[in-house]
Amino acid sequence: ALGGCRSSAGSGVEVIVDGDKKFPDFLAGTWKAEEGGWEFVFEPDGKISSAIVSIGRAKLQPGRTTTVPMQMGGKGVYKPGTWSVQYSHRQRELIVEIAIDRFRVELGDDVIKGRTRDFFVGPVSADGKSWWADRFSFPEYVVNTGKYHNYKLPFDPTDNPRESILFQKIP
């Protein structure tokens, strides 16, 4: 973890910035990835005001439970955990953690529930318009389908391939 200024103040987002402790102006705004549908909106102080997550492509806000209708019927309910944003001026490295403490997604008659933590780590381009992030995901999913009831999907953290995702700053 980076040393530096920490700020969360009940927002559900912790921000840590090294160096002058100021979140860079060029990072504020919307960052979108085609891969997985991820999107983050950074405020000028570095806090994330909303995020679109890959599971259900739901738009979440920190500290708020969100309910959304699903395309196949049913609904998705998401309760975020604490999110974090870290930035290193020296390395131009941005690290984002998105934690979902509980979710339940209904896909027709099937249900997926559980929790997950996703980490995005990587350098921001010199022009401040792209961010190549390696995504590390730590899911705990339980499924209920016609075939399975309360089946916990296996996950081995030692066999967790990273996924490189390109985020682009949306003007």
Side-chain angles (χ1 to χ4, degrees), residues 1-2 38 40 42 84-88 91-98 117-125 130-138 160 162-167:
L2 300 169
W38 290 94
F40 303 125
F42 294 101
S84 70
V85 176
Q86 298 178 47
Y87 184 73
S88 168
Q91 299 171 338
R92 287 188 69 87
E93 183 176 64
L94 180 61
I95 302 170
V96 172
E97 175 189 2
I98 300 294
R117 288 175 55 184
D118 290 281
F119 294 87
F120 301 84
V121 181
V124 178
S125 65
S130 60
W131 170 40
W132 269 109
D134 288 333
R135 175 185 175 216
F136 300 90
S137 188
F138 298 90
N160 188 6
R162 80 174 169 230
E163 170 187 18
S164 289
I165 300 176
L166 175 62
F167 285 83

Side-chain angles (χ1 to χ4, degrees), residues 59-162:
K59 184 175 186 174
L60 307 183
Q61 294 178 310
R64 291 189 176 170
T65 298
T66 300
T67 302
V68 296
M70 301 307 292
Q71 288 181 349
M72 296 171 59
K75 63 185 175 184
V77 180
Y78 303 83
K79 181 184 183 305
T82 301
W83 297 351
S84 70
V85 176
Q86 298 178 47
Y87 184 73
S88 168
H89 287 283
R90 286 187 301 274
Q91 299 171 338
R92 287 188 69 87
E93 183 176 64
L94 180 61
I95 302 170
V96 172
E97 175 189 2
I98 300 294
I100 300 174
D101 283 351
R102 284 193 318 271
F103 75 89
R104 184 177 196 280
V105 175
E106 300 166 353
L107 302 168
D109 293 333
D110 300 334
V111 175
I112 302 171
K113 61 185 177 179
R115 64 185 187 170
T116 187
R117 288 175 55 184
D118 290 281
F119 294 87
F120 301 84
V121 181
V124 178
S125 65
D127 66 4
K129 295 180 180 175
S130 60
W131 170 40
W132 269 109
D134 288 333
R135 175 185 175 216
F136 300 90
S137 188
F138 298 90
E140 294 178 28
Y141 296 162
V142 175
V143 297
N144 287 300
T145 66
K147 188 175 179 181
Y148 299 103
H149 185 70
N150 284 334
Y151 176 72
K152 184 174 182 181
L153 295 176
F155 173 72
D156 179 358
T158 61
D159 184 27
N160 188 6
R162 80 174 169 230

